[in-house]
Amino acid sequence: MNLCDLKTVRQIMSAFHLTFRKEFGQNFLTDRMVVEDIAEECCADPDSTILEIGPGIGTLTYELALRRREVVALEIDRGLIPVLQYTLGEFDNVTVHNQDVMQVDLDELLAPYFAKGPVSVCANLPYYITTPILMKLLESGLPFDYITIMIQSEVADRLCAKAGSRDYGAITAVLAYYGEAEHLFTVPADRFVPAPKVNSAVIRIRLHKEKPYRPKNEALLFRTIKAAFGQRRKTLSNALSAGFPELSKEQINAILASCGHEPTIRGERLDIAQFTPLSDALAEALGQSGS
Ligand code: SAM
């Protein structure tokens, strides 16, 4: 069975009386090379367990099951569960759960797999909740080796952007705190059924085993980043004044100077290595140095 073949996909959907559900972001991959490349590139260790979010009809799951020790997949659409039993029936290393990734307790679900060896995430994500899913994975604090995701091309550009570039934003700086993102390849819209309106890209995030940046107060680091990008065309001094009304303009400028920044610098020039000491200085001034 060739799950990348358009005719086969349509036959399967019709045999199980299913339609593509837009509200679940169902755009299924139909390019074998792309599917194989993602399964190959998603992590280094064949002994890994892969958490797949949204297996659809099992196209990527199939290639992951061939290459990795185990696959645990979460699919929100109940209608696809019998399809997955059919398309993945030959594998004894795949477990599919009919669950919403946003509701599931990842700690509990993955504890037995982490006990066996490395765990990575691999998914062609539903675009309507890309950022919430990514943030849930990162904030879970689970020691994933890699998170490899297919996402909208412009979101990929944002996540992989360098400080100071047009695409660089708060999410880029936050992601850099957790790991290192790498753009793998772009996938044109016509490689999916139904075709989405935009092109896609695959990125791979290698999570830091030991975080290189250790803020005194993590929540305040995120607040600093959010404030810095809250007023994009303003100077960092003005943006931080708006984001930290507890501090006077003079205090903010003194903090910026203590970190070696001119008050006229813009927030989008700072990378995570610079945001960390800045947030520490703000924490000091606010008397919030504890995490
Ligand atoms: N992996 C398949 C492929 O590449 O062809 C399907 C990818 S499709 C872009 C996204 C999949 O995620 C769909 O199967 C959809 O039903 C599922 N999905 C959407 N929201 C979800 C959620 N909150 N939790 C789990 N799965 C979800």
mmCIF file of all heavy atoms in Angstrom, residues 3 21 23-30 35 38 52-61 73-78 80 84 97-103 122-129 133 150 192-193, ligand 1:
data_model
loop_
_atom_site.group_PDB
_atom_site.id
_atom_site.type_symbol
_atom_site.label_atom_id
_atom_site.label_comp_id
_atom_site.label_asym_id
_atom_site.label_seq_id
_atom_site.Cartn_x
_atom_site.Cartn_y
_atom_site.Cartn_z
ATOM 1 N N LEU A 3 0.931 4.915 0.730
ATOM 2 C CA LEU A 3 0.121 5.949 1.383
ATOM 3 C C LEU A 3 0.397 7.345 0.841
ATOM 4 O O LEU A 3 -0.280 8.304 1.195
ATOM 5 C CB LEU A 3 0.349 5.923 2.900
ATOM 6 C CG LEU A 3 -0.119 4.646 3.617
ATOM 7 C CD1 LEU A 3 0.283 4.678 5.087
ATOM 8 C CD2 LEU A 3 -1.629 4.461 3.485
ATOM 9 N N ARG A 21 -10.734 16.943 7.329
ATOM 10 C CA ARG A 21 -11.331 17.896 8.278
ATOM 11 C C ARG A 21 -10.440 19.131 8.464
ATOM 12 O O ARG A 21 -9.389 19.074 9.079
ATOM 13 C CB ARG A 21 -11.601 17.182 9.607
ATOM 14 C CG ARG A 21 -12.667 16.104 9.409
ATOM 15 C CD ARG A 21 -13.028 15.424 10.681
ATOM 16 N NE ARG A 21 -13.702 16.315 11.622
ATOM 17 C CZ ARG A 21 -14.226 15.882 12.762
ATOM 18 N NH1 ARG A 21 -14.165 14.607 13.091
ATOM 19 N NH2 ARG A 21 -14.814 16.728 13.581
ATOM 20 N N GLU A 23 -10.989 21.734 10.220
ATOM 21 C CA GLU A 23 -10.858 22.240 11.603
ATOM 22 C C GLU A 23 -9.739 21.535 12.364
ATOM 23 O O GLU A 23 -9.289 22.015 13.398
ATOM 24 C CB GLU A 23 -12.198 22.132 12.351
ATOM 25 C CG GLU A 23 -12.645 20.734 12.771
ATOM 26 C CD GLU A 23 -13.440 19.976 11.697
ATOM 27 O OE1 GLU A 23 -13.235 20.242 10.496
ATOM 28 O OE2 GLU A 23 -14.242 19.099 12.072
ATOM 29 N N PHE A 24 -9.283 20.379 11.850
ATOM 30 C CA PHE A 24 -8.156 19.678 12.471
ATOM 31 C C PHE A 24 -6.858 19.873 11.665
ATOM 32 O O PHE A 24 -5.870 19.176 11.889
ATOM 33 C CB PHE A 24 -8.444 18.177 12.600
ATOM 34 C CG PHE A 24 -9.493 17.840 13.637
ATOM 35 C CD1 PHE A 24 -10.322 16.730 13.478
ATOM 36 C CD2 PHE A 24 -9.637 18.600 14.793
ATOM 37 C CE1 PHE A 24 -11.282 16.407 14.437
ATOM 38 C CE2 PHE A 24 -10.588 18.288 15.755
ATOM 39 C CZ PHE A 24 -11.418 17.196 15.576
ATOM 40 N N GLY A 25 -6.887 20.764 10.702
ATOM 41 C CA GLY A 25 -5.675 21.048 9.916
ATOM 42 C C GLY A 25 -5.213 19.836 9.121
ATOM 43 O O GLY A 25 -4.015 19.574 9.025
ATOM 44 N N GLN A 26 -6.165 19.101 8.554
ATOM 45 C CA GLN A 26 -5.793 17.856 7.865
ATOM 46 C C GLN A 26 -5.314 18.111 6.430
ATOM 47 O O GLN A 26 -6.107 18.227 5.499
ATOM 48 C CB GLN A 26 -6.963 16.871 7.903
ATOM 49 C CG GLN A 26 -7.192 16.347 9.317
ATOM 50 C CD GLN A 26 -8.310 15.336 9.434
ATOM 51 O OE1 GLN A 26 -9.066 15.098 8.480
ATOM 52 N NE2 GLN A 26 -8.448 14.740 10.611
ATOM 53 N N ASN A 27 -4.008 18.187 6.273
ATOM 54 C CA ASN A 27 -3.360 18.246 4.955
ATOM 55 C C ASN A 27 -2.343 17.112 4.961
ATOM 56 O O ASN A 27 -1.320 17.209 5.638
ATOM 57 C CB ASN A 27 -2.660 19.592 4.748
ATOM 58 C CG ASN A 27 -3.608 20.766 4.887
ATOM 59 O OD1 ASN A 27 -3.664 21.395 5.941
ATOM 60 N ND2 ASN A 27 -4.366 21.054 3.854
ATOM 61 N N PHE A 28 -2.659 16.043 4.249
ATOM 62 C CA PHE A 28 -1.836 14.841 4.333
ATOM 63 C C PHE A 28 -0.715 14.883 3.289
ATOM 64 O O PHE A 28 -0.940 15.260 2.134
ATOM 65 C CB PHE A 28 -2.701 13.583 4.144
ATOM 66 C CG PHE A 28 -3.753 13.413 5.227
ATOM 67 C CD1 PHE A 28 -4.879 12.622 5.007
ATOM 68 C CD2 PHE A 28 -3.617 14.020 6.470
ATOM 69 C CE1 PHE A 28 -5.850 12.456 6.002
ATOM 70 C CE2 PHE A 28 -4.565 13.863 7.470
ATOM 71 C CZ PHE A 28 -5.687 13.085 7.227
ATOM 72 N N LEU A 29 0.443 14.427 3.695
ATOM 73 C CA LEU A 29 1.611 14.429 2.806
ATOM 74 C C LEU A 29 1.461 13.376 1.712
ATOM 75 O O LEU A 29 1.026 12.252 1.982
ATOM 76 C CB LEU A 29 2.856 14.106 3.618
ATOM 77 C CG LEU A 29 3.675 15.305 4.090
ATOM 78 C CD1 LEU A 29 4.658 14.875 5.155
ATOM 79 C CD2 LEU A 29 4.394 15.963 2.916
ATOM 80 N N THR A 30 1.865 13.746 0.491
ATOM 81 C CA THR A 30 1.771 12.776 -0.609
ATOM 82 C C THR A 30 3.098 12.663 -1.364
ATOM 83 O O THR A 30 3.118 12.158 -2.483
ATOM 84 C CB THR A 30 0.657 13.179 -1.605
ATOM 85 O OG1 THR A 30 0.914 14.512 -2.030
ATOM 86 C CG2 THR A 30 -0.721 13.084 -0.985
ATOM 87 N N VAL A 35 8.510 12.461 2.936
ATOM 88 C CA VAL A 35 8.167 11.654 4.112
ATOM 89 C C VAL A 35 9.401 10.873 4.581
ATOM 90 O O VAL A 35 9.719 10.844 5.779
ATOM 91 C CB VAL A 35 6.998 10.691 3.786
ATOM 92 C CG1 VAL A 35 6.683 9.803 4.980
ATOM 93 C CG2 VAL A 35 5.755 11.466 3.373
ATOM 94 N N ILE A 38 11.988 13.192 6.213
ATOM 95 C CA ILE A 38 11.643 13.614 7.587
ATOM 96 C C ILE A 38 11.950 12.464 8.555
ATOM 97 O O ILE A 38 12.544 12.666 9.612
ATOM 98 C CB ILE A 38 10.150 14.024 7.702
ATOM 99 C CG1 ILE A 38 9.831 15.201 6.783
ATOM 100 C CG2 ILE A 38 9.798 14.376 9.150
ATOM 101 C CD1 ILE A 38 8.356 15.557 6.697
ATOM 102 N N GLU A 52 4.779 11.098 17.794
ATOM 103 C CA GLU A 52 4.239 11.767 16.600
ATOM 104 C C GLU A 52 2.900 12.417 16.953
ATOM 105 O O GLU A 52 2.034 11.766 17.556
ATOM 106 C CB GLU A 52 4.041 10.787 15.428
ATOM 107 C CG GLU A 52 3.688 11.570 14.157
ATOM 108 C CD GLU A 52 3.178 10.728 12.984
ATOM 109 O OE1 GLU A 52 3.046 9.504 13.117
ATOM 110 O OE2 GLU A 52 2.882 11.335 11.948
ATOM 111 N N ILE A 53 2.754 13.658 16.573
ATOM 112 C CA ILE A 53 1.492 14.368 16.825
ATOM 113 C C ILE A 53 0.733 14.430 15.509
ATOM 114 O O ILE A 53 1.258 14.932 14.507
ATOM 115 C CB ILE A 53 1.772 15.782 17.373
ATOM 116 C CG1 ILE A 53 2.500 15.674 18.716
ATOM 117 C CG2 ILE A 53 0.468 16.574 17.528
ATOM 118 C CD1 ILE A 53 3.355 16.863 19.035
ATOM 119 N N GLY A 54 -0.472 13.882 15.485
ATOM 120 C CA GLY A 54 -1.292 13.926 14.283
ATOM 121 C C GLY A 54 -0.828 12.993 13.182
ATOM 122 O O GLY A 54 -0.353 13.442 12.137
ATOM 123 N N PRO A 55 -0.958 11.685 13.364
ATOM 124 C CA PRO A 55 -0.494 10.742 12.333
ATOM 125 C C PRO A 55 -1.350 10.732 11.059
ATOM 126 O O PRO A 55 -0.897 10.203 10.035
ATOM 127 C CB PRO A 55 -0.567 9.377 13.048
ATOM 128 C CG PRO A 55 -1.569 9.557 14.143
ATOM 129 C CD PRO A 55 -1.446 10.992 14.580
ATOM 130 N N GLY A 56 -2.554 11.309 11.112
ATOM 131 C CA GLY A 56 -3.407 11.311 9.910
ATOM 132 C C GLY A 56 -3.774 9.893 9.514
ATOM 133 O O GLY A 56 -4.342 9.135 10.308
ATOM 134 N N ILE A 57 -3.428 9.494 8.276
ATOM 135 C CA ILE A 57 -3.697 8.113 7.859
ATOM 136 C C ILE A 57 -2.449 7.234 8.042
ATOM 137 O O ILE A 57 -2.412 6.087 7.604
ATOM 138 C CB ILE A 57 -4.209 8.016 6.402
ATOM 139 C CG1 ILE A 57 -3.166 8.559 5.413
ATOM 140 C CG2 ILE A 57 -5.555 8.733 6.240
ATOM 141 C CD1 ILE A 57 -3.461 8.161 3.962
ATOM 142 N N GLY A 58 -1.400 7.797 8.651
ATOM 143 C CA GLY A 58 -0.239 6.971 9.011
ATOM 144 C C GLY A 58 0.936 7.042 8.044
ATOM 145 O O GLY A 58 1.867 6.239 8.141
ATOM 146 N N THR A 59 0.920 8.021 7.145
ATOM 147 C CA THR A 59 1.955 8.095 6.106
ATOM 148 C C THR A 59 3.363 8.235 6.697
ATOM 149 O O THR A 59 4.264 7.444 6.385
ATOM 150 C CB THR A 59 1.658 9.315 5.184
ATOM 151 O OG1 THR A 59 0.264 9.317 4.905
ATOM 152 C CG2 THR A 59 2.447 9.243 3.901
ATOM 153 N N LEU A 60 3.528 9.236 7.575
ATOM 154 C CA LEU A 60 4.836 9.454 8.208
ATOM 155 C C LEU A 60 5.083 8.392 9.288
ATOM 156 O O LEU A 60 6.208 7.902 9.448
ATOM 157 C CB LEU A 60 4.864 10.874 8.812
ATOM 158 C CG LEU A 60 6.101 11.286 9.592
ATOM 159 C CD1 LEU A 60 7.370 11.201 8.736
ATOM 160 C CD2 LEU A 60 5.933 12.725 10.121
ATOM 161 N N THR A 61 4.033 8.015 9.983
ATOM 162 C CA THR A 61 4.133 6.994 11.048
ATOM 163 C C THR A 61 4.770 5.717 10.502
ATOM 164 O O THR A 61 5.615 5.091 11.151
ATOM 165 C CB THR A 61 2.717 6.642 11.583
ATOM 166 O OG1 THR A 61 1.877 7.780 11.492
ATOM 167 C CG2 THR A 61 2.784 6.116 13.009
ATOM 168 N N ALA A 73 1.812 7.683 18.903
ATOM 169 C CA ALA A 73 1.169 8.720 18.096
ATOM 170 C C ALA A 73 -0.129 9.185 18.750
ATOM 171 O O ALA A 73 -0.897 8.367 19.275
ATOM 172 C CB ALA A 73 0.896 8.177 16.695
ATOM 173 N N LEU A 74 -0.360 10.508 18.692
ATOM 174 C CA LEU A 74 -1.583 11.094 19.252
ATOM 175 C C LEU A 74 -2.421 11.660 18.118
ATOM 176 O O LEU A 74 -1.957 12.562 17.403
ATOM 177 C CB LEU A 74 -1.225 12.245 20.202
ATOM 178 C CG LEU A 74 -0.355 11.917 21.406
ATOM 179 C CD1 LEU A 74 0.018 13.193 22.159
ATOM 180 C CD2 LEU A 74 -1.090 10.948 22.324
ATOM 181 N N GLU A 75 -3.620 11.152 17.938
ATOM 182 C CA GLU A 75 -4.493 11.637 16.867
ATOM 183 C C GLU A 75 -5.827 12.062 17.478
ATOM 184 O O GLU A 75 -6.505 11.281 18.131
ATOM 185 C CB GLU A 75 -4.694 10.531 15.813
ATOM 186 C CG GLU A 75 -5.683 10.867 14.719
ATOM 187 C CD GLU A 75 -5.381 12.177 13.987
ATOM 188 O OE1 GLU A 75 -4.325 12.292 13.359
ATOM 189 O OE2 GLU A 75 -6.221 13.110 14.074
ATOM 190 N N ILE A 76 -6.213 13.305 17.213
ATOM 191 C CA ILE A 76 -7.443 13.861 17.801
ATOM 192 C C ILE A 76 -8.706 13.326 17.110
ATOM 193 O O ILE A 76 -9.767 13.220 17.726
ATOM 194 C CB ILE A 76 -7.415 15.415 17.722
ATOM 195 C CG1 ILE A 76 -8.445 16.028 18.659
ATOM 196 C CG2 ILE A 76 -7.619 15.919 16.306
ATOM 197 C CD1 ILE A 76 -8.328 17.546 18.801
ATOM 198 N N ASP A 77 -8.591 12.992 15.825
ATOM 199 C CA ASP A 77 -9.779 12.631 15.032
ATOM 200 C C ASP A 77 -10.096 11.143 15.213
ATOM 201 O O ASP A 77 -9.384 10.272 14.701
ATOM 202 C CB ASP A 77 -9.492 12.959 13.552
ATOM 203 C CG ASP A 77 -10.693 12.710 12.660
ATOM 204 O OD1 ASP A 77 -11.721 12.177 13.151
ATOM 205 O OD2 ASP A 77 -10.601 13.039 11.460
ATOM 206 N N ARG A 78 -11.209 10.892 15.916
ATOM 207 C CA ARG A 78 -11.594 9.508 16.223
ATOM 208 C C ARG A 78 -11.799 8.682 14.950
ATOM 209 O O ARG A 78 -11.502 7.501 14.900
ATOM 210 C CB ARG A 78 -12.882 9.534 17.055
ATOM 211 C CG ARG A 78 -13.316 8.214 17.607
ATOM 212 C CD ARG A 78 -14.071 8.363 18.904
ATOM 213 N NE ARG A 78 -14.954 9.537 18.919
ATOM 214 C CZ ARG A 78 -16.270 9.491 18.767
ATOM 215 N NH1 ARG A 78 -16.881 8.342 18.553
ATOM 216 N NH2 ARG A 78 -17.010 10.583 18.836
ATOM 217 N N LEU A 80 -10.140 8.595 12.347
ATOM 218 C CA LEU A 80 -8.902 8.087 11.734
ATOM 219 C C LEU A 80 -8.327 6.864 12.458
ATOM 220 O O LEU A 80 -7.419 6.205 11.935
ATOM 221 C CB LEU A 80 -7.839 9.199 11.691
ATOM 222 C CG LEU A 80 -8.092 10.313 10.663
ATOM 223 C CD1 LEU A 80 -7.125 11.475 10.867
ATOM 224 C CD2 LEU A 80 -7.949 9.775 9.229
ATOM 225 N N LEU A 84 -5.851 3.982 10.932
ATOM 226 C CA LEU A 84 -4.482 3.737 11.407
ATOM 227 C C LEU A 84 -4.280 2.276 11.787
ATOM 228 O O LEU A 84 -3.200 1.713 11.576
ATOM 229 C CB LEU A 84 -4.169 4.673 12.591
ATOM 230 C CG LEU A 84 -4.042 6.157 12.190
ATOM 231 C CD1 LEU A 84 -4.176 7.080 13.396
ATOM 232 C CD2 LEU A 84 -2.707 6.406 11.485
ATOM 233 N N HIS A 97 -2.886 6.698 20.163
ATOM 234 C CA HIS A 97 -3.876 7.129 21.156
ATOM 235 C C HIS A 97 -4.816 8.140 20.503
ATOM 236 O O HIS A 97 -4.331 9.065 19.843
ATOM 237 C CB HIS A 97 -3.207 7.813 22.352
ATOM 238 C CG HIS A 97 -2.258 6.932 23.097
ATOM 239 N ND1 HIS A 97 -2.674 6.105 24.123
ATOM 240 C CD2 HIS A 97 -0.923 6.744 22.971
ATOM 241 C CE1 HIS A 97 -1.620 5.456 24.608
ATOM 242 N NE2 HIS A 97 -0.551 5.814 23.921
ATOM 243 N N ASN A 98 -6.109 7.950 20.712
ATOM 244 C CA ASN A 98 -7.073 8.937 20.218
ATOM 245 C C ASN A 98 -7.158 10.070 21.249
ATOM 246 O O ASN A 98 -8.023 10.075 22.112
ATOM 247 C CB ASN A 98 -8.439 8.258 20.026
ATOM 248 C CG ASN A 98 -9.524 9.219 19.585
ATOM 249 O OD1 ASN A 98 -10.703 9.032 19.859
ATOM 250 N ND2 ASN A 98 -9.139 10.265 18.875
ATOM 251 N N GLN A 99 -6.185 11.013 21.136
ATOM 252 C CA GLN A 99 -6.120 12.075 22.134
ATOM 253 C C GLN A 99 -5.692 13.400 21.521
ATOM 254 O O GLN A 99 -4.985 13.430 20.509
ATOM 255 C CB GLN A 99 -5.129 11.692 23.235
ATOM 256 C CG GLN A 99 -5.817 11.030 24.410
ATOM 257 C CD GLN A 99 -4.822 10.534 25.447
ATOM 258 O OE1 GLN A 99 -3.766 9.988 25.119
ATOM 259 N NE2 GLN A 99 -5.168 10.718 26.690
ATOM 260 N N ASP A 100 -6.121 14.466 22.174
ATOM 261 C CA ASP A 100 -5.727 15.817 21.801
ATOM 262 C C ASP A 100 -4.398 16.113 22.486
ATOM 263 O O ASP A 100 -4.305 16.036 23.713
ATOM 264 C CB ASP A 100 -6.831 16.769 22.300
ATOM 265 C CG ASP A 100 -6.509 18.234 22.041
ATOM 266 O OD1 ASP A 100 -5.365 18.555 21.707
ATOM 267 O OD2 ASP A 100 -7.444 19.048 22.203
ATOM 268 N N VAL A 101 -3.391 16.450 21.719
ATOM 269 C CA VAL A 101 -2.061 16.691 22.311
ATOM 270 C C VAL A 101 -2.108 17.805 23.364
ATOM 271 O O VAL A 101 -1.346 17.795 24.328
ATOM 272 C CB VAL A 101 -1.010 17.016 21.216
ATOM 273 C CG1 VAL A 101 -1.342 18.294 20.470
ATOM 274 C CG2 VAL A 101 0.386 17.124 21.810
ATOM 275 N N MET A 102 -3.039 18.761 23.193
ATOM 276 C CA MET A 102 -3.098 19.867 24.145
ATOM 277 C C MET A 102 -3.687 19.440 25.491
ATOM 278 O O MET A 102 -3.538 20.148 26.481
ATOM 279 C CB MET A 102 -3.907 21.042 23.560
ATOM 280 C CG MET A 102 -3.289 21.668 22.319
ATOM 281 S SD MET A 102 -1.531 22.077 22.491
ATOM 282 C CE MET A 102 -1.582 23.378 23.712
ATOM 283 N N GLN A 103 -4.380 18.287 25.493
ATOM 284 C CA GLN A 103 -5.019 17.830 26.739
ATOM 285 C C GLN A 103 -4.191 16.766 27.454
ATOM 286 O O GLN A 103 -4.381 16.515 28.638
ATOM 287 C CB GLN A 103 -6.413 17.231 26.445
ATOM 288 C CG GLN A 103 -7.380 18.186 25.763
ATOM 289 C CD GLN A 103 -7.666 19.404 26.613
ATOM 290 O OE1 GLN A 103 -7.678 19.331 27.845
ATOM 291 N NE2 GLN A 103 -7.860 20.544 25.964
ATOM 292 N N CYS A 122 8.379 14.062 16.307
ATOM 293 C CA CYS A 122 8.384 14.264 14.862
ATOM 294 C C CYS A 122 6.936 14.417 14.409
ATOM 295 O O CYS A 122 6.081 13.603 14.770
ATOM 296 C CB CYS A 122 9.022 13.049 14.176
ATOM 297 S SG CYS A 122 9.142 13.224 12.394
ATOM 298 N N ALA A 123 6.648 15.472 13.664
ATOM 299 C CA ALA A 123 5.253 15.701 13.281
ATOM 300 C C ALA A 123 5.120 16.631 12.100
ATOM 301 O O ALA A 123 5.903 17.564 11.947
ATOM 302 C CB ALA A 123 4.493 16.310 14.467
ATOM 303 N N ASN A 124 4.110 16.347 11.297
ATOM 304 C CA ASN A 124 3.613 17.312 10.329
ATOM 305 C C ASN A 124 2.461 17.985 11.066
ATOM 306 O O ASN A 124 1.363 17.444 11.137
ATOM 307 C CB ASN A 124 3.150 16.566 9.068
ATOM 308 C CG ASN A 124 2.411 17.448 8.091
ATOM 309 O OD1 ASN A 124 2.436 18.664 8.192
ATOM 310 N ND2 ASN A 124 1.726 16.815 7.139
ATOM 311 N N LEU A 125 2.742 19.141 11.651
ATOM 312 C CA LEU A 125 1.796 19.718 12.620
ATOM 313 C C LEU A 125 0.560 20.318 11.960
ATOM 314 O O LEU A 125 0.658 20.880 10.860
ATOM 315 C CB LEU A 125 2.492 20.818 13.426
ATOM 316 C CG LEU A 125 3.454 20.382 14.521
ATOM 317 C CD1 LEU A 125 4.001 21.617 15.253
ATOM 318 C CD2 LEU A 125 2.809 19.426 15.519
ATOM 319 N N PRO A 126 -0.576 20.225 12.661
ATOM 320 C CA PRO A 126 -1.757 20.973 12.201
ATOM 321 C C PRO A 126 -1.468 22.463 12.390
ATOM 322 O O PRO A 126 -1.096 22.883 13.484
ATOM 323 C CB PRO A 126 -2.865 20.493 13.153
ATOM 324 C CG PRO A 126 -2.169 19.932 14.356
ATOM 325 C CD PRO A 126 -0.818 19.475 13.897
ATOM 326 N N TYR A 127 -1.582 23.248 11.299
ATOM 327 C CA TYR A 127 -1.081 24.625 11.337
ATOM 328 C C TYR A 127 -1.879 25.532 12.258
ATOM 329 O O TYR A 127 -1.364 26.543 12.700
ATOM 330 C CB TYR A 127 -1.033 25.204 9.913
ATOM 331 C CG TYR A 127 -0.033 24.471 9.037
ATOM 332 C CD1 TYR A 127 -0.030 24.633 7.663
ATOM 333 C CD2 TYR A 127 0.919 23.624 9.596
ATOM 334 C CE1 TYR A 127 0.884 23.955 6.864
ATOM 335 C CE2 TYR A 127 1.832 22.948 8.802
ATOM 336 C CZ TYR A 127 1.803 23.116 7.446
ATOM 337 O OH TYR A 127 2.711 22.443 6.658
ATOM 338 N N TYR A 128 -3.126 25.147 12.566
ATOM 339 C CA TYR A 128 -3.936 26.057 13.388
ATOM 340 C C TYR A 128 -3.451 26.140 14.832
ATOM 341 O O TYR A 128 -3.836 27.068 15.545
ATOM 342 C CB TYR A 128 -5.424 25.662 13.330
ATOM 343 C CG TYR A 128 -5.791 24.422 14.139
ATOM 344 C CD1 TYR A 128 -6.491 24.518 15.336
ATOM 345 C CD2 TYR A 128 -5.432 23.147 13.702
ATOM 346 C CE1 TYR A 128 -6.814 23.382 16.079
ATOM 347 C CE2 TYR A 128 -5.739 22.022 14.427
ATOM 348 C CZ TYR A 128 -6.435 22.151 15.609
ATOM 349 O OH TYR A 128 -6.744 21.029 16.341
ATOM 350 N N ILE A 129 -2.616 25.186 15.275
ATOM 351 C CA ILE A 129 -2.100 25.282 16.649
ATOM 352 C C ILE A 129 -0.593 24.972 16.729
ATOM 353 O O ILE A 129 -0.124 24.418 17.727
ATOM 354 C CB ILE A 129 -2.852 24.389 17.663
ATOM 355 C CG1 ILE A 129 -3.109 22.991 17.088
ATOM 356 C CG2 ILE A 129 -4.072 25.038 18.201
ATOM 357 C CD1 ILE A 129 -3.583 22.011 18.168
ATOM 358 N N ILE A 133 1.326 24.058 20.411
ATOM 359 C CA ILE A 133 1.904 22.705 20.541
ATOM 360 C C ILE A 133 3.393 22.814 20.835
ATOM 361 O O ILE A 133 3.913 22.168 21.748
ATOM 362 C CB ILE A 133 1.652 21.843 19.276
ATOM 363 C CG1 ILE A 133 0.170 21.545 19.100
ATOM 364 C CG2 ILE A 133 2.446 20.527 19.365
ATOM 365 C CD1 ILE A 133 -0.183 20.754 17.837
ATOM 366 N N MET A 150 7.057 19.841 10.692
ATOM 367 C CA MET A 150 6.685 20.502 9.440
ATOM 368 C C MET A 150 5.689 21.585 9.825
ATOM 369 O O MET A 150 4.680 21.301 10.502
ATOM 370 C CB MET A 150 6.009 19.472 8.530
ATOM 371 C CG MET A 150 5.293 20.091 7.385
ATOM 372 S SD MET A 150 6.238 19.969 5.897
ATOM 373 C CE MET A 150 5.961 18.285 5.511
ATOM 374 N N PHE A 192 0.707 18.066 -0.758
ATOM 375 C CA PHE A 192 -0.261 17.667 0.268
ATOM 376 C C PHE A 192 -1.631 17.492 -0.374
ATOM 377 O O PHE A 192 -1.936 18.124 -1.379
ATOM 378 C CB PHE A 192 -0.407 18.763 1.338
ATOM 379 C CG PHE A 192 0.851 19.106 2.073
ATOM 380 C CD1 PHE A 192 1.763 20.006 1.540
ATOM 381 C CD2 PHE A 192 1.118 18.555 3.321
ATOM 382 C CE1 PHE A 192 2.927 20.346 2.223
ATOM 383 C CE2 PHE A 192 2.274 18.888 4.016
ATOM 384 C CZ PHE A 192 3.180 19.778 3.471
ATOM 385 N N VAL A 193 -2.447 16.675 0.285
ATOM 386 C CA VAL A 193 -3.850 16.609 -0.104
ATOM 387 C C VAL A 193 -4.712 16.812 1.154
ATOM 388 O O VAL A 193 -4.477 16.135 2.147
ATOM 389 C CB VAL A 193 -4.191 15.261 -0.813
ATOM 390 C CG1 VAL A 193 -3.940 14.055 0.066
ATOM 391 C CG2 VAL A 193 -5.631 15.281 -1.297
HETATM 392 N N1 SAM B 1 0.974 13.098 9.711
HETATM 393 C C1 SAM B 1 0.004 13.150 8.641
HETATM 394 C C2 SAM B 1 0.709 13.454 7.340
HETATM 395 O O1 SAM B 1 1.820 13.987 7.401
HETATM 396 O O2 SAM B 1 0.147 13.204 6.279
HETATM 397 C C3 SAM B 1 -1.102 14.162 8.925
HETATM 398 C C4 SAM B 1 -0.666 15.582 9.201
HETATM 399 S S1 SAM B 1 -2.003 16.756 9.255
HETATM 400 C C5 SAM B 1 -1.146 18.239 8.797
HETATM 401 C C6 SAM B 1 -2.267 17.053 10.988
HETATM 402 C C7 SAM B 1 -2.862 15.898 11.773
HETATM 403 O O3 SAM B 1 -2.973 16.301 13.132
HETATM 404 C C8 SAM B 1 -4.259 15.476 11.355
HETATM 405 O O4 SAM B 1 -4.319 14.075 11.293
HETATM 406 C C9 SAM B 1 -5.170 15.995 12.464
HETATM 407 O O5 SAM B 1 -6.355 15.253 12.637
HETATM 408 C C10 SAM B 1 -4.239 15.894 13.661
HETATM 409 N N2 SAM B 1 -4.536 16.822 14.768
HETATM 410 C C11 SAM B 1 -5.062 18.067 14.686
HETATM 411 N N3 SAM B 1 -5.163 18.642 15.895
HETATM 412 C C12 SAM B 1 -4.671 17.733 16.779
HETATM 413 C C13 SAM B 1 -4.521 17.719 18.201
HETATM 414 N N4 SAM B 1 -4.875 18.783 18.937
HETATM 415 N N5 SAM B 1 -4.020 16.607 18.802
HETATM 416 C C14 SAM B 1 -3.653 15.522 18.044
HETATM 417 N N6 SAM B 1 -3.778 15.479 16.703
HETATM 418 C C15 SAM B 1 -4.273 16.569 16.069
#
